[in-house]
Amino acid sequence: MAEHAVVVAGGGPTGLMLAGELALAGIDVAIVERRASQELVGSRSGGLHSRTIEVLDQRGIADRFLSEGMVAQVAAFAGTPLDISDFPTRHPYGLGQWQNHIERILAGWVHELEVPIYREREVTGFGQDETGVDVELSDGKSLRAEYLVGCDGGRSLVRRTAGIEFPGWDPTTSFLIAEVELAEEPEWGIRRDALGIHSFGRLEYEIRDGEVVYVDRGPVRVMVTEQHLGPTSEATLRDLSEALVAVWGTDYGVHSPISISRFTDMARQAAAYRERRVLLAGDAAHVHNPVGGQGLNTGVQDAVNLGWKLAQVVNQTSPDSLLDTYHAERHPVAVRVLRNTLAQVALFRQDDRTKALRDTISELLSMDEPRTRFAAMISGLDIHYDLGEGHPLLGRRMPDLDLVTANGPLRVFTLLHDARPVLLNLGEPWDLDISPWAHRVSAIGADYPGAWELPVLGQVAAPAAVLIRPDGYVAWVGDGTDSGLRDALTTWFGPP
């Protein structure tokens, strides 16, 4: 039986990101993935929001995605665009990029970190005891791990086997999304009618002056709302043809499907993100309608929150109880995502009363303050972990400031490339004695002469020092003394 410190079930974006985070911390991690390669057939997520780009920038790999994707304003609420170009971030935009490319790039990073992937195999069961988890694979073999993380999607076997409840809202409507060939020219773009929202667009596109421009060749991506809630079985070409005829009166000679899939407005969330030595992340922990493009982004950020905590527990620098903060911090984030996707789906209904409400919401979102609040929520830039009372930075993302140091200019995110915590002293030199944590926490002295500005909150008072967690969130803010610093160091990075 092969042994690893952590086994990750599922090699999608969340599983790949988590494996990379653990590998950076020197953890023996392996992925179990049912696919023979990272190839992904069909349409999935269409891009990255600002905070996810920041997270990738914190690890020094954002340029890999930016060099292939298309920068654009992608945040929206129920069809109303939300411009974030004036937000205080180095990445005041989103990135148009299909999930197959996102996965390919992440897989390349994970390969560089020498993470083994058990391909063409699935987790079929497991049993856990006081010291670890025995993980059963579909090829009849087993793995032994200290911890198992289910990143195996909305129908997660890991979640079900762990006995974790998955409460939420049942589906009321369904949609087909497909990549196909058409014999006839369709009505390009988005159509709204009594059934719902439908669209035709080319798979290949460019973004010019912030607008999507489809090229005149290749397969077509179609999305159509079904007349009635579809079955849970796999969608077929006949299902797609009938749905197209119901909307347009023709199926445009649809043929040669590359992929056809069905999604709904179901919204569910795991009651717990942890059951002893088993944890959940990504779609295994929360599912919802893809409106707003928040699913993949939330999963990747789950992984970044969990990775360093799990690494410290495996390395025995922090107690097992640190893992409880993963649920405490990430569960409320997904609650908000489910709530706003439910609201957006409701606003897409086509009756006159809902249309009036949608128009009213759109008018409100054209005003600066509502636009800022909703855009920060959708883009992930307003996430605030409850770390107690104190400076507005506490529990929020650390801005990527251009620092001045004795060795020259330095970006904050550069300090996070190795996924290590950082104590940043920005005031007058004083004795911040962190020698018991010196091998765990990097201490940097620097100046920052500019203004401190956060999304939604605006300008905040400049701190004298900040303790930054590996996920980029601020764990302690200094006021010129070391009050509370030892407690914060112990809480997040283990006892001295």
Side-chain angles (χ1 to χ4, degrees), residues 6 15-30 55-62 64 106 108-116 303-304 306-312 315 413-421 439-440 470-471:
V6 179
L16 290 167
M17 192 74 206
L18 177 60
E21 292 289 292
L22 291 165
L24 282 174
I27 300 300
D28 176 12
V29 56
V55 163
L56 298 169
D57 201 355
Q58 289 172 183
R59 297 298 178 258
I61 58 174
R64 305 185 188 193
L106 281 175
W109 177 56
V110 166
H111 177 73
E112 292 169 13
L113 295 171
E114 300 182 342
V115 174
V304 175
L306 175 60
W308 64 275
K309 296 174 181 177
L310 185 53
Q312 289 182 180
N315 284 331
F413 284 4
T414 303
L415 299 172
L416 298 172
H417 284 185
D418 294 330
R420 284 173 51 86
H439 60 297
R440 306 177 207 165
D471 58 357

Side-chain angles (χ1 to χ4, degrees), residues 85-386:
S85 60
D86 59 344
F87 274 34
T89 169
R90 198 175 296 272
H91 304 286
Y93 46 74
L95 189 70
Q97 191 166 52
W98 295 119
Q99 183 171 329
N100 58 332
H101 298 300
I102 294 170
E103 288 197 22
R104 173 177 49 79
I105 297 169
L106 281 175
W109 177 56
V110 166
H111 177 73
E112 292 169 13
L113 295 171
E114 300 182 342
V115 174
I117 301 180
Y118 293 89
R119 291 200 176 275
E120 297 184 271
R121 277 164 277 193
E122 297 182 69
V123 173
T124 56
F126 62 84
Q128 56 176 319
D129 54 39
E130 294 302 314
T131 61
V133 188
D134 291 317
V135 184
E136 302 165 9
L137 303 184
S138 55
D139 64 356
K141 297 180 180 179
S142 299
L143 300 173
R144 177 70 175 176
E146 294 181 45
Y147 290 89
L148 169 65
V149 186
C151 301
D152 52 340
R155 299 176 181 176
S156 170
L157 179 137
V158 172
R159 184 189 64 240
R160 297 197 308 271
T161 305
I164 297 173
E165 295 183 359
F166 202 42
W169 293 265
D170 290 332
T172 63
T173 187
S174 59
F175 313 81
L176 295 175
I177 189 167
E179 296 174 5
V180 295
E181 297 283 352
L182 299 178
E184 305 168 16
E185 185 88 358
E187 293 182 21
W188 298 110
I190 296 173
R191 173 173 177 165
R192 292 181 171 88
D193 60 22
L195 284 180
I197 299 178
H198 328 279
S199 66
F200 281 108
R202 293 286 186 186
L203 280 181
E204 297 183 39
Y205 63 88
E206 299 174 356
I207 296 180
R208 302 173 188 165
D209 299 325
E211 298 293 327
V212 174
V213 179
Y214 291 98
V215 300
D216 188 24
R217 63 179 180 275
V220 172
R221 187 172 190 257
V222 56
M223 193 276 284
V224 58
T225 306
E226 295 185 277
Q227 272 188 302
H228 308 288
L229 182 63
T232 56
S233 57
E234 291 295 322
T236 66
L237 184 60
R238 181 175 179 178
D239 292 335
L240 180 60
S241 175
E242 290 176 352
L244 293 174
V245 170
V247 174
W248 281 280
T250 175
D251 67 2
Y252 296 102
V254 61
H255 65 95
S256 304
I258 299 171
S259 68
I260 306 174
S261 59
R262 177 179 282 114
F263 66 93
T264 72
D265 61 342
M266 179 178 69
R268 295 188 180 278
Q269 185 176 19
Y273 282 16
R274 180 190 180 199
E275 169 55 33
R276 293 184 292 162
R277 291 182 171 271
V278 177
L279 300 109
L280 304 174
D283 288 354
H286 40 77
V287 296
H288 51 83
N289 186 276
V291 62
Q294 299 165 91
L296 181 151
N297 292 268
T298 305
V300 167
Q301 292 175 50
D302 285 346
V304 175
N305 183 285
L306 175 60
W308 64 275
K309 296 174 181 177
L310 185 53
Q312 289 182 180
V313 172
V314 169
N315 284 331
Q316 299 184 340
T317 58
S318 290
D320 181 76
S321 59
L322 180 64
L323 295 178
D324 294 334
T325 69
Y326 169 59
H327 172 96
E329 293 181 348
R330 294 304 299 174
H331 192 274
V333 171
V335 166
R336 290 186 77 202
V337 172
L338 264 65
R339 185 179 64 185
N340 82 57
T341 54
L342 285 170
Q344 291 184 73
V345 170
L347 287 170
F348 278 129
R349 292 172 184 152
Q350 297 303 307
D351 61 274
D352 290 342
R353 288 176 174 81
T354 304
K355 185 177 183 300
L357 177 60
R358 185 170 64 251
D359 290 345
T360 302
I361 295 295
S362 181
E363 183 178 346
L364 286 171
L365 292 177
S366 69
M367 302 175 188
D368 194 56
E369 184 173 350
R371 186 264 308 179
T372 300
R373 287 182 176 272
F374 275 66
M377 174 180 65
I378 297 294
S379 63
L381 291 169
D382 73 340
I383 291 172
H384 179 209
Y385 299 138
D386 184 6

